[in-house]
């Protein structure tokens, strides 16, 4: 099994550009989420989903959109990139969420110049 | 709101020795879940151990164990027989309904 796959691994954007970070899992997990990791801080929740067609905001949702059309995929869209969105982004999935813990992807390092 | 605090930004330990990483949290919930994650230089987040708050027994996974003090809201991680491969950032996390609240991490270096 591939687990949680994130693409790309690295990306440089110019301010104002848009892009989509891809996340796919092959474990038939219902719960998926996106986090960002900034220096000196722990990971912070951006958006999450508890199943296909169901998404909601986390702690730091501004500037990001998500959708969940299939169980496998949970893309994160940056509509107009800003330097403050320079970060490492992690996607994670879980079979049940709260009690089981999440499996993380390997992350995407995004730099906005 | 829930918070998670890791007060030790950096620690070091000699190979084969034991080290304890501290974590405190704040919540008004009575039933919850706590986790420790390891992030090596590869940046992959790896689940080390989890604890269910309603269980009195401390969780153990091989060389990793926790000291869970519910009344004190403390959740420390003990690593026994430290190995060079244990060098990493360690994050304590509180599980909310649909996502984690992470601490700021402790950078652990195992010295040969």
């Amino acid at each position: 099994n591939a687990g949680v796959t994130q693409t790309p691994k690295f990306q440089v954007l110019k301010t104002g550009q848009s892009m989509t970070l891809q996340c796919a899992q092959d474990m038939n997990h219902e719960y998926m989420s996106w986090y960002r990791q900034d220096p000196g801080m722990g990971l912070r929740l951006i958006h999450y989903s508890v199943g296909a067609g169901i998404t909601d905001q986390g702690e730091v949702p501004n500037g990001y959109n998500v959708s969940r059309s299939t169980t496998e995929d949970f893309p994160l869209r940056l509509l107009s990139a800003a330097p403050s969105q320079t970060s490492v982004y992690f996607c994670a999935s879980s079979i049940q969420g709260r009690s089981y813990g999440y499996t993380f992807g390997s992350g995407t390092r995004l730099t906005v110049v | 709101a829930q918070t998670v605090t890791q007060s030790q930004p950096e620690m070091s330990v000699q190979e084969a020795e034991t080290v304890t990483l501290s974590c405190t949290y704040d919540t008004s919930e009575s039933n919850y879940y706590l986790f420790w994650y390891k992030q090596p230089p590869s940046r992959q987040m790896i689940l080390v151990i989890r604890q269910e708050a309603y269980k009195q027994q401390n969780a153990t996974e091989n060389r990793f164990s926790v000291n869970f003090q519910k009344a004190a809201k403390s959740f420390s991680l003990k690593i026994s027989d430290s190995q060079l491969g244990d060098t990493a950032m360690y994050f304590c996390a509180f599980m909310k309904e649909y996502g984690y609240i992470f601490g700021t991490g402790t950078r652990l270096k195992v010295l040969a």
Side-chain angles (χ1 to χ4, degrees):
Chain A
N1 284 343
V4 179
T5 302
Q6 290 186 239
T7 56
K9 294 192 184 304
F10 301 93
Q11 182 71 47
V12 178
L13 284 180
K14 293 183 178 179
T15 298
Q17 285 185 318
S18 63
M19 80 159 296
T20 299
L21 305 184
Q22 301 292 344
C23 176
Q25 52 90 9
D26 61 358
M27 299 173 283
N28 202 31
H29 286 174
E30 289 293 328
Y31 291 72
M32 296 187 73
S33 52
W34 277 101
Y35 292 83
R36 61 178 288 172
Q37 182 179 24
D38 300 301
M41 304 182 72
L43 283 71
R44 291 181 293 167
L45 182 65
I46 304 171
H47 285 285
Y48 64 91
S49 169
V50 299
I54 306 169
T55 64
D56 207 343
Q57 296 179 352
E59 183 183 358
V60 287
N62 292 341
Y64 308 95
N65 277 357
V66 293
S67 60
R68 184 99 179 267
S69 57
T70 67
T71 299
E72 294 77 19
D73 300 300
F74 190 43
L76 178 72
R77 282 183 287 275
L78 283 70
L79 303 178
S80 177
S84 61
Q85 293 179 304
T86 293
S87 189
V88 178
Y89 291 85
F90 288 93
C91 179
S93 74
S94 177
I95 190 168
Q96 194 181 65
R98 197 167 188 189
S99 61
Y100 279 75
Y102 280 72
T103 299
F104 283 80
S106 58
T108 295
R109 179 175 293 279
L110 175 68
T111 301
V112 182
V113 298
Chain B
Q2 293 90 350
T3 59
V4 176
T5 302
Q6 294 179 252
S7 58
Q8 304 153 314
E10 294 186 357
M11 296 187 70
S12 62
V13 62
Q14 291 291 330
E15 197 175 8
E17 296 295 309
T18 296
V19 64
T20 298
L21 280 58
S22 300
C23 173
T24 59
Y25 60 93
D26 188 26
T27 182
S28 58
E29 297 182 19
S30 59
N31 188 26
Y32 47 88
Y33 299 85
L34 296 163
F35 298 80
W36 277 97
Y37 276 87
K38 169 185 177 181
Q39 187 178 44
S42 66
R43 88 178 175 215
Q44 181 71 47
M45 293 290 286
I46 301 167
L47 177 62
V48 174
I49 200 166
R50 69 179 184 201
Q51 175 76 43
E52 301 174 60
Y54 66 88
K55 286 190 175 180
Q56 297 294 326
Q57 187 173 5
N58 289 326
T60 299
E61 290 287 344
N62 300 315
R63 298 183 295 108
F64 299 88
S65 61
V66 299
N67 182 8
F68 174 51
Q69 302 290 328
K70 190 173 182 180
K73 296 181 180 176
S74 171
F75 183 60
S76 60
L77 176 69
K78 186 173 80 171
I79 306 174
S80 304
D81 186 25
S82 297
Q83 300 175 359
L84 295 178
D86 295 333
T87 292
M89 282 289 289
Y90 287 82
F91 291 97
C92 177
F94 176 98
M95 175 61 84
K96 293 179 63 175
E97 191 168 5
Y98 298 121
Y100 293 111
I101 300 294
F102 282 94
T104 52
T106 295
R107 185 176 303 278
L108 177 67
K109 186 170 185 178
V110 179
L111 306 172

